[in-house]
Coordinates of all heavy atoms in Angstrom, one line a residue:
M333 N 19.3 39.2 62.0 CA 18.0 39.7 61.9 C 17.3 39.5 63.3 O 17.4 38.5 63.9 CB 17.2 39.0 60.8 CG 15.8 39.6 60.6 SD 15.1 39.0 59.1 CE 15.4 40.4 58.0
T334 N 16.5 40.5 63.7 CA 15.9 40.5 65.0 C 14.6 39.6 64.9 O 14.0 39.5 63.9 CB 15.4 41.9 65.4 OG1 16.5 42.7 65.4 CG2 14.8 41.9 66.8
Q335 N 14.3 38.9 66.0 CA 13.1 38.0 66.0 C 12.1 38.6 67.0 O 12.5 39.3 68.0 CB 13.5 36.6 66.5 CG 14.4 35.9 65.4 CD 14.6 34.5 65.7 OE1 14.8 34.1 66.9 NE2 14.5 33.6 64.7
I336 N 10.9 38.4 66.7 CA 9.8 38.8 67.6 C 8.9 37.7 67.9 O 8.9 36.6 67.2 CB 9.0 40.0 66.9 CG1 8.3 39.5 65.6 CG2 9.8 41.2 66.6 CD1 7.4 40.5 64.9
H337 N 8.1 37.8 69.0 CA 7.1 36.8 69.4 C 5.7 37.3 69.0 O 5.3 38.4 69.3 CB 7.2 36.6 70.9 CG 8.6 36.1 71.4 ND1 8.8 34.8 71.6 CD2 9.7 36.7 71.6 CE1 10.0 34.6 71.9 NE2 10.6 35.8 71.9
I338 N 5.0 36.3 68.4 CA 3.6 36.6 68.1 C 2.8 35.3 68.6 O 3.4 34.4 69.2 CB 3.4 36.7 66.6 CG1 3.7 35.5 65.8 CG2 4.1 38.0 66.1 CD1 3.3 35.5 64.4
R339 N 1.5 35.3 68.5 CA 0.7 34.2 68.8 C 0.0 33.7 67.5 O -0.6 34.6 66.8 CB -0.3 34.5 69.9 CG 0.4 34.5 71.3 CD -0.7 34.7 72.4 NE -1.5 35.9 72.2 CZ -1.2 37.2 72.4 NH1 0.0 37.4 72.9 NH2 -2.0 38.1 72.2
I340 N -0.1 32.5 67.3 CA -0.9 31.9 66.2 C -1.8 30.9 66.8 O -1.3 29.9 67.4 CB 0.0 31.3 65.1 CG1 0.9 32.3 64.4 CG2 -0.9 30.6 64.0 CD1 1.8 31.8 63.3
N341 N -3.1 31.1 66.7 CA -4.1 30.2 67.4 C -3.8 30.0 68.9 O -3.9 28.9 69.4 CB -4.2 28.9 66.7 CG -4.9 29.0 65.4 OD1 -5.4 30.1 65.0 ND2 -5.0 27.9 64.6
G342 N -3.4 31.1 69.5 CA -3.1 31.1 71.0 C -1.8 30.5 71.4 O -1.5 30.5 72.6
K343 N -0.9 30.1 70.4 CA 0.4 29.5 70.8 C 1.5 30.4 70.4 O 1.4 31.0 69.3 CB 0.5 28.1 70.1 CG -0.5 27.1 70.6 CD -0.2 25.8 70.0 CE -1.3 24.8 70.5 NZ -1.1 23.5 70.1
H344 N 2.4 30.6 71.3 CA 3.6 31.5 71.0 C 4.4 30.9 69.8 O 4.6 29.7 69.6 CB 4.5 31.6 72.2 CG 3.8 32.3 73.3 ND1 3.6 33.7 73.3 CD2 3.3 31.9 74.5 CE1 3.0 34.1 74.4 NE2 2.8 33.0 75.1
F345 N 4.8 31.9 69.0 CA 5.6 31.5 67.8 C 6.6 32.7 67.5 O 6.3 33.8 67.8 CB 4.6 31.4 66.6 CG 5.2 30.8 65.4 CD1 5.6 29.4 65.4 CD2 5.5 31.5 64.2 CE1 6.1 28.8 64.3 CE2 6.1 30.9 63.1 CZ 6.4 29.5 63.1
V346 N 7.8 32.3 67.1 CA 8.8 33.3 66.9 C 9.1 33.4 65.4 O 9.2 32.4 64.7 CB 10.2 32.8 67.6 CG1 11.3 33.8 67.3 CG2 10.0 32.7 69.1
I347 N 9.1 34.7 64.9 CA 9.3 35.0 63.5 C 10.4 36.1 63.4 O 10.7 36.8 64.4 CB 8.0 35.4 62.8 CG1 7.4 36.7 63.5 CG2 7.0 34.3 62.7 CD1 6.3 37.3 62.7
N348 N 10.9 36.3 62.2 CA 11.8 37.4 62.0 C 11.0 38.8 62.0 O 9.9 38.8 61.6 CB 12.5 37.3 60.7 CG 13.5 36.2 60.7 OD1 14.1 35.9 61.7 ND2 13.6 35.5 59.5
D349 N 11.6 39.8 62.6 CA 11.1 41.1 62.6 C 10.7 41.5 61.1 O 11.5 41.2 60.2 CB 12.1 42.1 63.2 CG 11.5 43.5 63.4 OD1 10.3 43.6 63.6 OD2 12.3 44.4 63.3
Q350 N 9.6 42.2 60.9 CA 9.2 42.6 59.6 C 8.6 41.5 58.7 O 8.4 41.7 57.5 CB 10.2 43.4 58.8 CG 10.7 44.7 59.5 CD 9.5 45.6 59.8 OE1 8.7 45.9 58.9 NE2 9.4 46.2 61.0
S351 N 8.4 40.3 59.3 CA 7.7 39.2 58.5 C 6.3 39.6 58.2 O 5.6 40.3 59.0 CB 7.8 37.9 59.3 OG 9.0 37.4 59.4
T352 N 5.8 39.2 57.1 CA 4.4 39.4 56.7 C 3.6 38.3 57.2 O 4.1 37.2 57.6 CB 4.3 39.5 55.2 OG1 4.7 38.3 54.6 CG2 5.2 40.6 54.6
I353 N 2.3 38.5 57.1 CA 1.4 37.4 57.5 C 1.7 36.1 56.6 O 1.7 35.0 57.1 CB -0.1 37.8 57.3 CG1 -0.5 38.9 58.3 CG2 -1.0 36.6 57.3 CD1 -1.9 39.5 58.1
Q354 N 1.9 36.3 55.3 CA 2.2 35.2 54.4 C 3.4 34.5 54.9 O 3.4 33.2 55.0 CB 2.3 35.7 53.0 CG 2.6 34.6 52.0 CD 2.6 35.1 50.6 OE1 2.0 36.1 50.3 NE2 3.4 34.4 49.8
E355 N 4.5 35.2 55.2 CA 5.7 34.5 55.6 C 5.5 33.8 57.0 O 6.1 32.7 57.2 CB 6.8 35.6 55.8 CG 7.2 36.2 54.4 CD 8.1 37.4 54.6 OE1 8.0 38.1 55.6 OE2 8.8 37.7 53.6
A356 N 4.8 34.4 57.9 CA 4.6 33.8 59.2 C 3.8 32.5 59.0 O 4.1 31.5 59.6 CB 3.9 34.7 60.1
L357 N 2.7 32.5 58.2 CA 1.9 31.4 57.9 C 2.7 30.2 57.3 O 2.6 29.1 57.7 CB 0.7 31.7 57.1 CG -0.4 32.6 57.7 CD1 -1.4 32.9 56.7 CD2 -1.0 31.9 58.9
E358 N 3.5 30.6 56.3 CA 4.3 29.6 55.6 C 5.3 28.9 56.6 O 5.4 27.7 56.7 CB 5.1 30.2 54.5 CG 4.3 30.5 53.3 CD 5.0 31.4 52.2 OE1 6.2 31.7 52.4 OE2 4.3 31.7 51.2
S359 N 5.9 29.7 57.5 CA 6.8 29.2 58.5 C 6.1 28.3 59.5 O 6.5 27.2 59.8 CB 7.5 30.3 59.2 OG 8.4 29.8 60.2
W360 N 4.9 28.8 59.9 CA 4.1 28.0 60.9 C 3.6 26.7 60.3 O 3.8 25.6 61.0 CB 2.9 28.8 61.3 CG 2.2 28.3 62.5 CD1 2.5 28.2 63.8 CD2 0.9 27.7 62.5 NE1 1.6 27.6 64.6 CE2 0.5 27.3 63.8 CE3 0.0 27.4 61.4 CZ2 -0.7 26.6 64.1 CZ3 -1.2 26.8 61.7 CH2 -1.5 26.4 63.1
F361 N 3.1 26.7 59.1 CA 2.7 25.4 58.5 C 3.9 24.5 58.2 O 3.7 23.3 58.4 CB 1.9 25.7 57.2 CG 0.4 26.0 57.5 CD1 0.0 27.3 57.6 CD2 -0.5 24.9 57.7 CE1 -1.3 27.5 57.9 CE2 -1.8 25.2 58.0 CZ -2.2 26.5 58.1
N362 N 5.0 25.0 57.8 CA 6.2 24.2 57.6 C 6.7 23.5 58.9 O 7.3 22.5 58.8 CB 7.3 25.0 56.9 CG 7.0 25.3 55.5 OD1 6.2 24.6 54.8 ND2 7.6 26.3 54.9
N363 N 6.5 24.2 60.0 CA 7.0 23.7 61.3 C 5.9 23.0 62.1 O 6.2 22.4 63.1 CB 7.5 24.8 62.1 CG 8.8 25.4 61.6 OD1 9.7 24.7 61.3 ND2 8.9 26.7 61.4
S364 N 4.7 22.9 61.6 CA 3.6 22.3 62.3 C 3.6 20.8 62.1 O 3.8 20.3 60.9 CB 2.3 22.8 61.8 OG 1.2 22.2 62.4
A365 N 3.5 20.1 63.1 CA 3.5 18.6 63.1 C 2.2 18.1 62.4 O 2.1 17.0 61.9 CB 3.6 18.0 64.5
A366 N 1.1 18.9 62.5 CA -0.2 18.4 62.0 C -0.7 19.4 60.9 O -1.7 20.0 61.0 CB -1.2 18.4 63.1
S367 N 0.1 19.6 59.8 CA -0.3 20.5 58.8 C -1.2 19.8 57.8 O -0.8 19.4 56.7 CB 0.9 21.1 58.1 OG 1.7 20.0 57.5
L368 N -2.5 19.6 58.2 CA -3.4 18.9 57.4 C -4.0 19.8 56.3 O -4.3 19.3 55.2 CB -4.6 18.4 58.3 CG -4.2 17.4 59.4 CD1 -5.4 17.1 60.3 CD2 -3.6 16.1 58.8
L369 N -4.0 21.0 56.6 CA -4.5 22.0 55.6 C -3.5 23.0 55.3 O -2.6 23.2 56.1 CB -5.8 22.7 56.1 CG -7.0 21.8 56.4 CD1 -8.1 22.6 57.0 CD2 -7.5 21.1 55.2
T370 N -3.6 23.7 54.2 CA -2.6 24.7 53.8 C -3.2 26.1 54.3 O -4.4 26.2 54.6 CB -2.4 24.7 52.3 OG1 -3.6 25.1 51.7 CG2 -1.9 23.4 51.9
P371 N -2.4 27.1 54.3 CA -2.9 28.5 54.6 C -4.1 28.9 53.8 O -4.9 29.7 54.2 CB -1.7 29.4 54.4 CG -0.6 28.5 54.5 CD -1.0 27.2 54.0
D372 N -4.2 28.4 52.6 CA -5.3 28.7 51.7 C -6.7 28.2 52.2 O -7.7 28.7 51.7 CB -5.1 28.1 50.3 CG -3.9 28.7 49.6 OD1 -3.5 29.9 50.0 OD2 -3.4 28.1 48.7
H373 N -6.7 27.3 53.1 CA -7.9 26.8 53.7 C -8.5 27.5 54.9 O -9.4 27.0 55.5 CB -7.8 25.3 54.0 CG -7.5 24.4 52.8 ND1 -6.3 23.9 52.5 CD2 -8.4 24.1 51.8 CE1 -6.4 23.2 51.4 NE2 -7.6 23.3 50.9
Y374 N -7.9 28.7 55.2 CA -8.3 29.4 56.4 C -8.6 30.9 56.0 O -8.1 31.4 55.1 CB -7.2 29.4 57.4 CG -6.9 28.1 58.0 CD1 -5.9 27.3 57.5 CD2 -7.6 27.7 59.1 CE1 -5.7 26.0 58.0 CE2 -7.4 26.4 59.7 CZ -6.4 25.6 59.1 OH -6.1 24.4 59.7
A375 N -9.5 31.5 56.8 CA -9.6 32.9 56.9 C -8.7 33.4 58.0 O -8.5 32.6 59.0 CB -11.0 33.4 57.1
I376 N -8.1 34.6 58.0 CA -7.2 35.0 59.0 C -7.7 36.3 59.6 O -8.1 37.2 59.0 CB -5.8 35.4 58.3 CG1 -5.2 34.1 57.6 CG2 -4.8 35.9 59.3 CD1 -4.9 33.0 58.5
A377 N -7.6 36.3 61.0 CA -7.9 37.5 61.8 C -6.6 37.9 62.4 O -5.9 37.1 63.1 CB -9.0 37.2 62.8
L378 N -6.2 39.1 62.3 CA -5.0 39.7 62.9 C -5.6 40.7 64.0 O -6.2 41.7 63.7 CB -4.2 40.5 61.9 CG -3.0 41.3 62.5 CD1 -2.0 40.4 63.3 CD2 -2.3 42.0 61.3
N379 N -5.3 40.3 65.3 CA -5.7 41.1 66.4 C -7.2 41.4 66.3 O -7.7 42.5 66.4 CB -5.0 42.5 66.5 CG -3.5 42.2 66.7 OD1 -3.1 41.3 67.3 ND2 -2.7 43.0 66.1
Q380 N -8.0 40.3 65.9 CA -9.4 40.3 65.9 C -10.0 41.1 64.7 O -11.2 41.4 64.7 CB -10.1 40.7 67.2 CG -9.6 39.9 68.3 CD -10.3 40.3 69.7 OE1 -10.9 41.3 69.8 NE2 -10.2 39.4 70.6
H381 N -9.2 41.3 63.7 CA -9.7 42.0 62.5 C -9.4 41.1 61.3 O -8.3 40.7 61.1 CB -9.0 43.4 62.3 CG -9.3 44.3 63.4 ND1 -10.5 45.0 63.5 CD2 -8.6 44.7 64.4 CE1 -10.5 45.8 64.6 NE2 -9.4 45.6 65.2
F382 N -10.5 40.9 60.5 CA -10.3 40.0 59.3 C -9.3 40.7 58.3 O -9.4 41.9 58.1 CB -11.7 39.9 58.6 CG -11.6 39.2 57.2 CD1 -11.3 37.9 57.1 CD2 -11.7 40.0 56.1 CE1 -11.2 37.3 55.9 CE2 -11.6 39.4 54.8 CZ -11.4 38.0 54.7
I383 N -8.4 39.9 57.7 CA -7.5 40.4 56.8 C -7.7 39.7 55.4 O -7.7 38.5 55.4 CB -6.0 40.1 57.2 CG1 -5.7 40.7 58.6 CG2 -5.0 40.6 56.1 CD1 -5.7 42.2 58.6
P384 N -8.0 40.4 54.4 CA -8.2 39.8 53.1 C -7.0 39.1 52.6 O -5.9 39.5 52.8 CB -8.6 41.0 52.1 CG -9.0 42.1 53.0 CD -8.2 41.9 54.3
R385 N -7.2 38.0 51.9 CA -6.1 37.2 51.5 C -5.1 38.0 50.6 O -3.9 37.7 50.6 CB -6.6 36.0 50.7 CG -5.6 34.9 50.3 CD -6.3 33.7 49.7 NE -7.4 33.2 50.4 CZ -7.4 32.4 51.5 NH1 -6.2 32.0 52.0 NH2 -8.5 32.0 52.1
T386 N -5.6 39.0 49.9 CA -4.8 39.8 49.0 C -3.8 40.7 49.8 O -2.9 41.2 49.2 CB -5.7 40.7 48.1 OG1 -6.5 41.5 49.0 CG2 -6.5 39.9 47.2
Q387 N -4.0 40.8 51.1 CA -3.1 41.6 51.9 C -2.1 40.8 52.8 O -1.3 41.4 53.5 CB -3.9 42.5 52.8 CG -4.7 43.5 52.0 CD -5.5 44.5 52.9 OE1 -5.3 44.5 54.2 NE2 -6.3 45.3 52.3
Y388 N -2.2 39.5 52.7 CA -1.2 38.6 53.5 C 0.2 39.0 53.2 O 1.0 39.0 54.1 CB -1.5 37.2 53.2 CG -2.7 36.6 53.7 CD1 -3.7 37.3 54.3 CD2 -3.0 35.2 53.5 CE1 -4.9 36.7 54.8 CE2 -4.2 34.6 53.9 CZ -5.1 35.4 54.6 OH -6.3 34.8 55.0
A389 N 0.6 39.2 51.9 CA 2.0 39.4 51.5 C 2.5 40.8 51.8 O 3.7 41.0 51.8 CB 2.2 39.1 50.1
C390 N 1.6 41.7 52.1 CA 2.0 43.1 52.4 C 1.7 43.6 53.8 O 1.9 44.7 54.1 CB 1.4 44.0 51.3 SG -0.4 44.1 51.3
T391 N 1.2 42.7 54.6 CA 0.9 43.1 56.0 C 2.0 42.6 56.9 O 2.1 41.4 57.2 CB -0.5 42.6 56.5 OG1 -1.5 43.0 55.6 CG2 -0.8 43.0 57.9
A392 N 2.8 43.5 57.4 CA 3.9 43.2 58.3 C 3.4 43.0 59.7 O 2.4 43.7 60.2 CB 5.0 44.3 58.3
L393 N 4.0 42.0 60.4 CA 3.6 41.7 61.8 C 4.5 42.4 62.8 O 5.6 42.7 62.5 CB 3.6 40.2 62.0 CG 2.6 39.4 61.2 CD1 2.8 37.9 61.3 CD2 1.2 39.8 61.5
Q394 N 3.9 42.7 64.0 CA 4.7 43.3 65.0 C 4.7 42.4 66.3 O 3.8 41.6 66.4 CB 4.1 44.7 65.4 CG 4.1 45.6 64.2 CD 3.4 46.9 64.6 OE1 3.1 47.2 65.8 NE2 3.0 47.7 63.6
A395 N 5.6 42.6 67.1 CA 5.7 41.9 68.4 C 4.4 41.9 69.1 O 3.8 43.0 69.2 CB 6.8 42.4 69.3
G396 N 3.9 40.8 69.6 CA 2.7 40.7 70.3 C 1.4 40.5 69.5 O 0.3 40.4 70.0
D397 N 1.6 40.5 68.2 CA 0.4 40.3 67.3 C -0.2 39.0 67.6 O 0.5 38.0 67.9 CB 0.7 40.5 65.8 CG 0.7 42.0 65.4 OD1 0.2 42.8 66.1 OD2 1.2 42.2 64.3
D398 N -1.5 38.9 67.3 CA -2.3 37.7 67.5 C -3.0 37.3 66.2 O -3.9 38.0 65.8 CB -3.3 37.9 68.6 CG -4.0 36.6 69.1 OD1 -3.5 35.5 68.8 OD2 -5.0 36.7 69.7
L399 N -2.5 36.2 65.6 CA -3.2 35.6 64.4 C -4.1 34.5 64.8 O -3.7 33.6 65.6 CB -2.1 35.1 63.4 CG -1.3 36.1 62.6 CD1 -0.3 35.4 61.8 CD2 -2.2 37.0 61.8
E400 N -5.3 34.5 64.3 CA -6.2 33.4 64.4 C -6.5 32.9 63.0 O -6.9 33.6 62.1 CB -7.5 33.8 65.1 CG -7.3 34.1 66.6 CD -7.1 32.9 67.4 OE1 -7.6 31.8 67.1 OE2 -6.4 33.0 68.4
L401 N -6.3 31.6 62.9 CA -6.7 30.9 61.6 C -8.1 30.3 61.8 O -8.3 29.5 62.7 CB -5.7 29.8 61.3 CG -4.3 30.2 60.8 CD1 -3.5 31.0 61.8 CD2 -3.6 29.0 60.3
L402 N -9.0 30.7 61.0 CA -10.4 30.4 61.1 C -10.8 29.4 60.0 O -10.8 29.9 58.8 CB -11.3 31.6 61.2 CG -10.8 32.7 62.2 CD1 -11.5 34.0 62.0 CD2 -11.1 32.2 63.6
A403 N -11.1 28.2 60.3 CA -11.5 27.2 59.3 C -13.0 27.5 58.9 O -13.8 27.7 59.8 CB -11.3 25.8 59.8
P404 N -13.3 27.4 57.7 CA -14.7 27.6 57.2 C -15.6 26.5 57.8 O -15.2 25.4 57.9 CB -14.6 27.6 55.7 CG -13.3 27.0 55.4 CD -12.4 27.2 56.5
M405 N -16.8 26.9 58.1 CA -17.8 25.9 58.6 C -19.1 26.0 57.9 O -19.5 27.2 57.5 CB -18.1 26.1 60.1 CG -16.9 25.9 61.0 SD -17.5 26.1 62.7 CE -15.9 26.0 63.6
S406 N -19.7 24.9 57.6 CA -21.0 25.0 57.0 C -22.1 25.0 58.0 O -21.9 24.7 59.2 CB -21.2 23.8 56.0 OG -21.2 22.6 56.7
G407 N -23.3 25.4 57.7 CA -24.4 25.5 58.6 C -24.8 26.9 58.9 O -24.3 27.8 58.2
G408 N -25.7 27.1 59.8 CA -26.2 28.4 60.0 C -26.7 28.7 61.3 O -26.7 28.5 62.4

């Protein structure tokens, strides 16, 4: 299977071609040394566009995509 390079929170990450957001997040959290929170604790932006959680499993990633995990913050 071919691998592609993406960025998660500005860091390069390698995933299998045709991986979904959900698969990439699971791999990233499983390989993260500091996985304090699970993917459920974040909102996700793909190339600066919010992706609803219901679309994580059906949104395939492409080489060069940029995922940002945004932690919720209180305040205003």
Side-chain angles (χ1 to χ4, degrees):
M333 186 168 260
T334 305
Q335 294 189 318
I336 60 171
H337 295 264
I338 63 169
R339 284 184 305 281
I340 299 179
N341 286 355
K343 296 183 181 189
H344 292 285
F345 194 69
V346 178
I347 59 172
N348 291 327
D349 188 29
Q350 299 301 313
S351 289
T352 64
I353 291 174
Q354 182 175 331
E355 292 165 336
L357 291 176
E358 288 171 358
S359 179
W360 189 73
F361 275 96
N362 287 337
N363 291 310
S364 176
S367 60
L368 300 176
L369 299 175
T370 66
D372 295 339
H373 292 108
Y374 292 94
I376 302 296
L378 172 59
N379 300 325
Q380 300 182 349
H381 297 283
F382 171 74
I383 303 295
R385 192 173 311 279
T386 57
Q387 294 183 10
Y388 291 2
C390 62
T391 303
L393 297 171
Q394 299 176 15
D397 276 347
D398 187 17
L399 284 177
E400 287 292 328
L401 285 67
L402 308 166
M405 294 183 187
S406 62

